[in-house]
Amino acid sequence: QQQVKQSPQSLIVQKGGISIINCAYENTAFDYFPWYQQFPGKGPALLIAIRPDVSEKKEGRFTISFNKSAKQFSLHIMDSQPGDSATYFCAARRDTGNQFYFGTGTSLTVIP
Amino acid sequence: DGGITQSPKYLFRKEGQNVTLSCEQNLNHDAMYWYRQDPGQGLRLIYYSQIVNDFQKGDIAEGYSVSREKKESFPLTVTSAQKNPTAFYLCASSFRDTTYNEQFFGPGTRLTVL
């Protein structure tokens, strides 16, 4: 059973466009929601993260929008660049046990 | 240079053999994790450890074993009981204190069973 559902599986965006990746969860015990970026053959790296007490967090071109009532959160990449081409994972951490649950990933391709 | 190291980067195993994947961190993190990554399935938790000499099974622990004798080290053994071990294996670590949330990942080990 997938605790965190992520969509789309793949995404192609023109350079300068907006990339949007969505995630949904059911477990209200989750208290921390990070997004990771992974390049081929490498380990994931933390991109941006949010706690459920805020609805939006922005860092440079990357923004997380969080809807607690809908149990959904999304990553927006503004002015997408070819260097953003990577796989993106959303995740959620349970408030006890420090265990993380990951989405299935989105392969983003930014076309020049 | 702080971080997580995994070795080897590539590993080939014959069927029926046990192999051990190394994971070391110098971040003074209490918690360590092992994930398996397969195409289209994201990261699935194999085992995790919050403190030395203690660890818990994740969602796909069958066919794997771990030990946590030192805070810095969390080796994973893929046993011959694991039916489909070919995958990319990722080690991660974090602080236990939930004020500091980030989970750091190593570069991964790609295991291929011949």
Side-chain angles (χ1 to χ4, degrees):
Chain A
Q1 182 186 358
Q2 194 71 29
Q3 298 253 8
V4 179
K5 295 181 180 176
Q6 183 173 346
S7 64
Q9 186 175 354
S10 62
L11 182 61
I12 300 174
V13 172
Q14 292 273 355
K15 178 181 175 182
I18 302 173
S19 304
I20 302 174
I21 305 170
N22 301 299
C23 284
Y25 64 98
E26 288 297 325
N27 192 337
T28 55
F30 291 149
D31 69 344
Y32 172 68
F33 300 87
W35 284 90
Y36 287 86
Q37 179 188 57
Q38 185 181 30
F39 293 103
K42 307 291 184 186
L46 180 68
L47 192 61
I48 187 172
I50 197 168
R51 285 189 175 270
D53 52 352
V54 298
S55 60
E56 185 174 282
K57 183 174 181 181
K58 183 176 180 180
E59 289 184 3
R61 296 185 293 110
F62 301 92
T63 299
I64 299 179
S65 297
F66 189 85
N67 186 329
K68 189 174 181 178
S69 60
K71 297 188 198 132
Q72 295 175 347
F73 58 111
S74 59
L75 175 69
H76 297 235
I77 305 174
M78 313 299 288
D79 187 27
S80 298
Q81 299 297 312
D84 296 332
S85 297
T87 299
Y88 293 82
F89 292 95
C90 62
R93 187 192 65 187
R94 216 164 60 188
D95 55 3
T96 56
N98 210 25
Q99 187 172 344
F100 289 76
Y101 298 87
F102 286 82
T104 51
T106 296
S107 176
L108 171 66
T109 302
V110 181
I111 301 171
Chain B
D1 210 15
I4 302 177
T5 56
Q6 290 185 243
S7 61
K9 187 174 176 63
Y10 299 96
L11 186 57
F12 298 89
R13 187 194 96 174
K14 291 182 180 178
E15 280 195 29
Q17 286 181 336
N18 292 355
V19 289
T20 297
L21 282 58
S22 169
C23 177
E24 304 274 336
Q25 55 95 4
N26 61 4
L27 300 167
N28 199 32
H29 285 166
D30 308 290
M32 296 187 74
Y33 309 78
W34 273 105
Y35 294 92
R36 171 179 171 142
Q37 186 173 23
D38 296 283
Q41 296 198 49
L43 279 67
R44 293 184 291 167
L45 184 64
I46 304 172
Y47 269 98
Y48 64 108
S49 168
Q50 299 293 315
I51 56 173
V52 173
N53 292 323
D54 186 50
F55 47 83
Q56 289 77 41
K57 292 182 179 180
D59 298 323
I60 56 165
E62 185 177 349
Y64 300 98
S65 66
V66 293
S67 63
R68 187 85 186 277
E69 297 177 1
K70 298 188 301 181
K71 187 176 183 178
E72 303 79 19
S73 178
F74 191 40
L76 173 74
T77 297
V78 184
T79 75
S80 56
Q82 169 50 234
K83 290 183 171 49
N84 184 21
T86 295
F88 190 49
Y89 290 87
L90 288 160
C91 179
S93 68
S94 71
F95 287 111
R96 285 183 68 197
D97 183 342
T98 55
T99 304
Y100 304 98
N101 302 299
E102 183 174 354
Q103 193 173 65
F104 291 80
F105 283 85
T109 292
R110 185 164 297 281
L111 172 63
T112 302
V113 174
L114 304 172

